[in-house]
Every structure is written in structure tokens, then in C-alpha cells.
Amino acid sequence: MIPDLLRLSAALLTLIAFGYALTRLVAPQIAFDRFERFGVGYVLGTGAASLIWILFMPAYGVVSPVVLISGVAWTTVALAIAGRRTLVTPPRGQRPSLALVVLLIVAALQAAAVMFTAMRSELGFDAVFNFEVKARLAFESPVRGQIPLAYFSDASRIWSHPRYPLVVPFAEFWLYAWLGRADQFLVKIIFPLYYIALMAVAAGAIQRHAGRTAAAASIVGLGLLPAITVIPGAISGYAEIPLAAAVTAAVCCTLIGLNTERREAFWLAGIFAALASWTKVEGAVLALCLGGVALCVAGRRAVPILVLPLCVIVAWAVFQHRFGLAEKDFLPITPLTAFANLDRVPMIARMVGREIVTPGHWGLLWPAFAAACALSAFARRWSATATVLASLVMMPAGVYAASYLFSSWTDVDGHIRTSFVRLLVPLAPIALIFIASTLTNLSGEPAEA
Amino acid sequence: MRNSNPITQTSRIIVIMLVAGSLYAGQATVRRYVEIYRSPLRSDVSASIDRHLVPAGVTAEELREAVERAGWQPGDDVLVVASERPATREDLYQVYYSTGYLLYPSRVDVATDAMPAVGLRERRVVLRISHLGETSALITVNR
């Protein structure tokens, strides 16, 4: 057990150090706090390593992926250290209030509970058959680390969604490669760490706009929502929490770019947006919406937020076109299909409406978001921050709802019932950041240090 | 005076909504945590895939060993067949997916006795699943 834990620690440390070093090289002037830096490092390190994994796949007959990726990661760490670029850290705030201390203890207990229950429960259905299957294929492949090209066009395994992007399968393969075996017990450690990373980046963003107490209260609130913690949340092994962490990090960097006008923040936001589109298909929708809104609000400085994800989306689409199978869950996206299925609109509206007011999934987050939008409009206090955040919730939600017009399922309401709750997961932290920043803005009080 | 400000009042209502909603939703989270805590810990390396093979009454390791013993070649087509009164459709597909998961690169298809599969070149292998609890699963080679 101890050698396993050492290998596991080495595998995770390599990813976190890689991400930390990349942040230090790309954006040393951004003032992340330590907790936030862990979250950014974990998401960035895992995502960047997964891109290296896929790019160097043809080389694994010669060199092991563990050696190659670790080599790149630790060389980057060495470069970051040799660069001697001093990291900017946020100024120390006032002494924490009792409320803040209590909230932080509760948030830490929540993270511990997520870790404990994740390790006690099994991977969910889609976690095994959509993601972990690819990690196992890469691990058990005759050339370890390569997903066989034939898999992407294997019609008998279309249920495993060969078109899905590969961040989560990479993270799982990475642990298997270090452990020397496919282990469905230890691999679950990935997901609570993504949960902690999500909380770290969300708290960092809220802290900058609404103060520390609001940030701590918000992550405690998020940690109570079953959709974030249970299914399809952090203990299930699904890709929603990794996607939420990447998108929230992209939004966080975009807001820093808007407020400080630092170009490097937009670059980092672009990298996270690219990683979001490399985590799940709907990450592409989120990345393009973020890029579009940022471009409208910040102008040309925000170009990386659109261009970097587009590079990933186009490359993966070309690969799928060349080697993959056609999408099976959706009909061709044409105006004709949309018109033919217009009769679905009332049903889609009813089911989407029901989901967003289901308190057992979301508390009253979405009604509160709607109320905050209305309040902000009533008070005529829309900042650039509010525009980005509100758009990044409403635009993708609209796209997702409209996408069911193209569903190829005979049971369309089943499609909505099983998928819409998941689509909302990455939007929830953004909605919470919007609410916190809007209420602080409207109160007229500066955010506490 | 300050309390009468509609913006402040609405802000407070929003905060109350968030707190009350989170506490309500938190009950479901805690309930699920307790259920998981009370369930037995499965820490073996194939715990998750074994759960999906329960309707067939085999574990991942047993299935792979049976395939190896039977001398099936990698790439043999595999057919998962349910008896006439199979377990639920969900169970059938669970076993079908699990077989496809474990037996790569074999092409795997699914059928019931009443509804044979189409599209396979040759039925070389049958993994027969019967109704959970009625009969034990059979793994046979159909050559």
C-alpha cells in the first residue's frame, strides 16, 4: 500500500508542479493566493499533460509516456525556477472574523467528506463506460499509452462515446501508468482533487469581487448541492466537475484581465478555455461563448480566449472526421431539423424549467441568479464583469436547451432528464460568482480585504 | 431608512434564498453520504466494473479467465445473449457494455433469444446471461 501511495503522490505532484510552473511562466504577475494557485495548478497541469500525451502518442513505442510527460513537466518546473520570476501574491488581509473561520472549517469538512465518500463509492455508469474505458484501453494497449486508432471507428463500442475529449481518460491513465495496473479504487482520488480545485478557483474569483467571507460562504453553499457533490458531481467520476473547474478558472482569469488589463491574464484564460473544450464536448460551447463575450467586452486583447480553444476544437474535429464515427445522439444541425422538431419546444421548456427550480438538485441557485440579474438591470448597474458572467450562464443554457431540438433519441424527455442537470454543473459556480459580485456591487460597499 | 431601499431588501431576499435553498439541498447530499458510509467498502481494483457484471453473475476477472480458458482469440466477435425472459433492459445493456469494456479488441454485440443480433460476421462466442437469481450465468463457446 505504501509504494502505491508513493507512486500516486508522485503522479499527482508531477501534474500539480507542472501546472504551477506553467502558471509561473505564462502569468507570473497574476495575484493568485496559495489555495487558488493549487486549483489553477492542478487543472492546468492535468490538462496540459493530457495534450502532451495525445500529441506524443506515436512516440510511445520508443519512450514510455510516463518518462516523456514527466520529463516535459519537470523540465518546465526547472525553467520556471531558473527564470526567477517573482510571483505576485495578494496582500494579506485583516485578521479573519469568527464567521470566516467557521465557514472555512465547514468548507474543509465538506472537502474531507467528498474525499471520503468518493473513495468509498464506485465510479458511476458513465464514468466507467465513457471515460475510464479509454484510460484502460490506453493502459492495456500493446503499446502502453496509445489508444488504438481502430477504437475511434469501432461501431460496436459507440456507446463509449469515442468522440468525447480526453482530459479525464488521460488523468486516469496517468495514475494507472504510475501504479502499474488499472485500479478503479485509487483512480477515484482524481475527482475530489478536481472538486477542491473548483472550490479554490471559485473562491478566488469571489474573494476578488465580494471579499473573503462571501467567498467562503459561497463554496460552502456549492458544497451542499447534490449536483456538485454526488451525481453528476465530484464523487461520481464524471467529467462535469473537471469541466467546471477549467471553465471557472477561465472565467476567473478573464475577469482578472478585464479588471487589470493584463494581457497575460487573457492568455491564461485562453489556455483554460482550451482545456475546457478538451474536457467535454459542451466545454467547446462554454469556451466559444466566453471567447465571444470577452471579445465584445475587452476587444482584441481577448483574442486568445477565442483562438486557443478553437485550435483544440478544430484539431479534434478534424481527427474525428478522419478517424471517428458520426455523432449518434444528435441529428444533423440544420434549420430543417429545427423546424421539423419545433413541436418539442413546449416539452423542452417544461423540463428545463422544472430542472432549474428543483431545490433538491440546486437549492434556489437559479431563481436567485434570475433575481440578481433582474435586480442588476433594475438598478442599471451592469459592469463588464457582470456582462461576462451573466452571458456565460445564459448563452450556454440557451444553446443547451435548443440542442434538444436536434436530439436523435426517440425518448427526448429521457435525453433531457439524464443530461440537462449535468450541463448546469459548470454554470453553477459562474452563477454564484455573478450573484456575489452583483450583490457587493449593489450594496456600494467595497469588498473586504 | 436603509431597510426600505428596495435594492437592499431584494439583495437580502436573494441571500436568504441562497442560504435556505443550500440547506434544503444539503439534506440530500448528507443523506447520500450516510448511505455510502453505511455501504460496504469495495477497494478492489475492479470494483466498479464488477458491479455492472452482477446480472451475469461473473466478475471481470472470471470473465477474462473464462475467455482465456476457452481459447477465444482477440478479435473474435462476441455476442451477449439474454435468455427469453432476461433481466431488465438496463441489466442486459450493463452486461453488454461491460463485455465490450473487458474484451477489446473483440467486436461485441447484444441480443436476446427472441431477437438475434445482426451485423456480426460470425457468432463465435456467446456470453449468456440469465435472469438474476434464477439460473447462474453460462459462458460458453459457440463454434
Side-chain angles (χ1 to χ4, degrees):
Chain A
M1 193 64 185
I2 288 175
D4 281 348
L5 291 180
L6 287 176
R7 288 193 198 110
L8 206 60
S9 306
L12 294 170
L13 186 67
T14 302
L15 296 180
I16 295 167
F18 185 32
Y20 190 91
L22 284 173
T23 319
R24 196 170 168 144
L25 288 171
V26 175
Q29 296 300 314
I30 296 182
F32 293 123
D33 68 26
R34 265 182 235 158
F35 184 42
E36 201 177 6
R37 215 168 264 285
F38 157 77
V40 165
Y42 181 63
V43 176
L44 183 55
T46 309
S50 78
L51 286 171
I52 293 170
W53 171 58
I54 201 92
L55 286 174
F56 286 94
M57 224 170 237
Y60 299 151
V62 182
V63 57
S64 135
V66 169
V67 172
L68 198 149
I69 296 168
S70 300
V72 174
W74 289 106
T75 307
T76 311
V77 173
L79 284 174
I81 293 169
R84 293 176 190 280
R85 299 173 88 170
T86 315
L87 284 177
V88 174
T89 48
R92 290 186 75 84
Q94 303 151 351
R95 279 189 62 187
S97 63
L98 180 63
L100 177 60
V101 171
V102 171
L103 286 168
L104 289 176
I105 290 170
V106 174
L109 290 174
Q110 285 177 314
V114 166
M115 182 75 81
F116 180 75
T117 43
M119 298 312 286
R120 275 195 79 90
S121 55
E122 287 141 7
L123 292 167
F125 188 90
D126 284 2
V128 175
F129 295 118
N130 292 355
F131 301 107
E132 201 259 345
V133 63
K134 295 171 183 119
R136 189 179 278 256
L137 277 181
F139 181 73
E140 293 181 348
S141 164
V143 179
R144 183 168 288 180
Q146 279 183 355
I147 296 181
L149 211 50
Y151 163 74
F152 294 99
S153 55
D154 182 350
S156 77
R157 281 181 181 75
I158 197 160
W159 45 264
S160 66
H161 295 278
R163 299 180 73 89
Y164 280 11
L166 296 171
V167 166
V168 171
F170 161 75
E172 294 172 331
F173 163 74
W174 182 247
L175 295 197
Y176 291 169
W178 273 85
L179 289 168
R181 65 171 189 275
D183 188 327
Q184 292 183 327
F185 173 67
L186 289 178
V187 79
K188 290 178 289 186
I189 189 82
I190 293 166
F191 301 97
L193 290 178
Y194 264 115
Y195 169 87
I196 295 170
L198 169 63
M199 295 302 149
V201 288
I206 295 171
Q207 184 179 330
R208 272 187 283 278
H209 292 94
R212 289 189 296 180
T213 308
S218 298
I219 61 168
V220 167
L222 268 183
L224 288 169
L225 302 181
I228 299 288
T229 52
V230 189
I231 289 269
I235 70 167
S236 65
Y238 290 10
E240 272 67 26
I241 295 297
L243 174 61
V247 168
T248 307
V251 169
C252 167
C253 294
T254 306
L255 299 184
I256 292 172
L258 284 175
N259 293 321
T260 63
E261 304 209 338
R262 287 193 175 281
R263 275 180 189 279
E264 59 196 41
F266 290 110
W267 277 100
L268 200 53
I271 292 171
F272 280 116
L275 296 182
S277 56
W278 184 231
T279 305
K280 275 207 90 185
V281 176
E282 55 265 33
V285 175
L286 291 163
L288 295 179
C289 287
L290 177 62
V293 176
L295 212 57
C296 293
V297 172
R300 282 196 317 196
R301 286 170 303 151
V303 164
I305 306 180
L306 195 60
V307 171
L308 295 179
L310 267 177
C311 294
V312 172
I313 294 165
V314 170
W316 188 236
V318 168
F319 176 85
Q320 287 294 340
H321 183 72
R322 174 76 182 78
F323 299 105
L325 294 164
E327 170 61 56
K328 74 176 177 78
D329 286 332
F330 290 96
L331 301 165
I333 299 175
T334 63
L336 205 63
T337 317
F339 279 121
N341 293 326
L342 273 181
D343 57 325
R344 292 180 183 175
V345 169
M347 186 263 291
I348 294 171
R350 193 178 62 247
M351 296 203 67
V352 165
R354 191 186 297 160
E355 177 58 42
I356 61 179
V357 295
T358 300
H361 288 174
W362 297 107
L364 293 171
L365 176 64
W366 304 114
F369 171 76
C373 285
L375 188 61
S376 206
F378 173 75
R380 296 168 193 266
R381 300 269 286 273
W382 277 98
S383 60
T385 299
T387 305
V388 169
L389 292 168
S391 307
L392 196 56
V393 174
M394 290 192 268
M395 282 165 56
V399 172
Y400 297 153
S403 71
Y404 294 113
L405 284 176
F406 304 95
S407 169
S408 62
W409 287 34
T410 46
D411 171 24
V412 180
D413 59 344
H415 195 180
I416 302 173
R417 208 173 34 250
T418 52
S419 61
F420 194 68
V421 62
R422 298 190 196 185
L423 298 174
L424 291 179
V425 168
L427 304 184
I430 303 166
L432 210 49
I433 299 170
F434 172 80
I435 295 169
S437 70
T438 299
L439 296 189
T440 308
N441 188 21
L442 291 175
S443 74
E445 291 167 15
E448 73 188 284
Chain B
M1 194 63 189
R2 199 176 161 180
N3 286 347
S4 64
N5 180 345
I7 292 178
T8 310
Q9 282 182 343
T10 315
S11 298
R12 281 184 188 160
I13 290 169
I14 291 171
V15 172
I16 291 167
M17 281 166 75
L18 283 172
V19 172
S22 297
L23 291 175
Y24 178 83
Q27 292 176 47
T29 301
V30 171
R31 221 176 297 129
R32 183 71 189 118
Y33 283 173
V34 171
E35 276 172 27
I36 292 169
Y37 176 73
R38 286 183 178 160
S39 63
L41 172 66
R42 296 280 312 275
S43 61
D44 43 312
V45 297
S46 299
S48 298
I49 192 69
D50 283 349
R51 185 165 61 89
H52 296 295
L53 279 167
V54 164
V58 288
T59 64
E61 201 182 339
E62 286 165 355
L63 179 63
R64 281 186 157 177
E65 277 175 8
V67 166
E68 210 175 312
R69 266 200 314 274
W72 300 353
Q73 298 301 310
D76 276 358
D77 287 348
V78 176
L79 188 60
V80 175
V81 180
S83 58
E84 228 168 290
R85 286 193 306 114
T88 61
R89 183 184 153 83
E90 199 176 285
D91 283 346
L92 177 63
Y93 274 80
Q94 212 168 288
V95 175
Y96 160 48
Y97 292 165
S98 305
T99 314
Y101 171 101
L102 289 166
L103 300 186
Y104 190 86
S106 293
R107 282 166 48 86
V108 178
D109 206 344
V110 64
T112 62
D113 282 350
M115 183 193 75
V118 289
L120 291 182
R121 292 184 297 274
E122 191 185 353
R123 279 191 196 186
R124 291 182 66 87
V125 178
V126 175
L127 169 67
R128 178 173 290 275
I129 62 164
S130 302
H131 194 287
L132 178 62
E134 273 184 15
T135 44
S136 59
L138 299 171
I139 301 172
T140 54
V141 183
N142 180 19
R143 289 179 187 269

